Amino acid sequence: MPEDPIAHSELAALTRRFEEVSQQHDREFGIIKSDLTAVRLQVGNLDQKVEALDKKIDRNQAQIVELLTQLIGQRPAGS
């Protein structure tokens, strides 16, 4: 039974289209993966900044408590 040239050419065309779409998906996946990596780095940087702010707030609160403790028992100026 001889090969059908029309079916063979359509199969080749479908194969090419499948490969093109597959390559496009691979490229798009690579872009998305790269974007996610960048987002992870930014989130990590934000976490570090939040941690530093928490430490600074803790230090400031400790200083406020210390100053208020020193003021207890002192008479107001002019008394």
Side-chain angles (χ1 to χ4, degrees):
M1 187 164 153
E3 288 188 24
D4 184 357
I6 294 174
H8 186 64
S9 67
E10 287 194 18
L11 180 60
L14 286 173
T15 302
R16 272 193 311 277
R17 285 176 36 200
F18 174 80
E19 289 172 352
E20 288 170 0
V21 169
S22 178
Q23 289 173 357
Q24 181 181 0
H25 286 162
D26 289 347
R27 283 191 302 274
E28 290 172 355
F29 179 74
I31 291 168
I32 291 169
K33 187 176 176 183
S34 174
D35 289 348
L36 284 175
T37 300
V39 168
R40 284 186 190 138
L41 290 173
Q42 290 176 351
V43 167
N45 289 340
L46 287 175
D47 283 344
Q48 289 176 352
K49 288 179 180 181
V50 167
E51 187 176 321
L53 283 174
D54 283 343
K55 289 178 182 178
K56 187 173 183 177
I57 288 171
D58 290 344
R59 281 193 308 271
N60 288 343
Q61 286 177 338
Q63 288 176 338
I64 290 170
V65 168
E66 182 180 330
L67 290 172
L68 288 173
T69 303
Q70 291 174 5
L71 288 175
I72 294 175
Q74 290 186 4
R75 296 179 186 228
S79 295

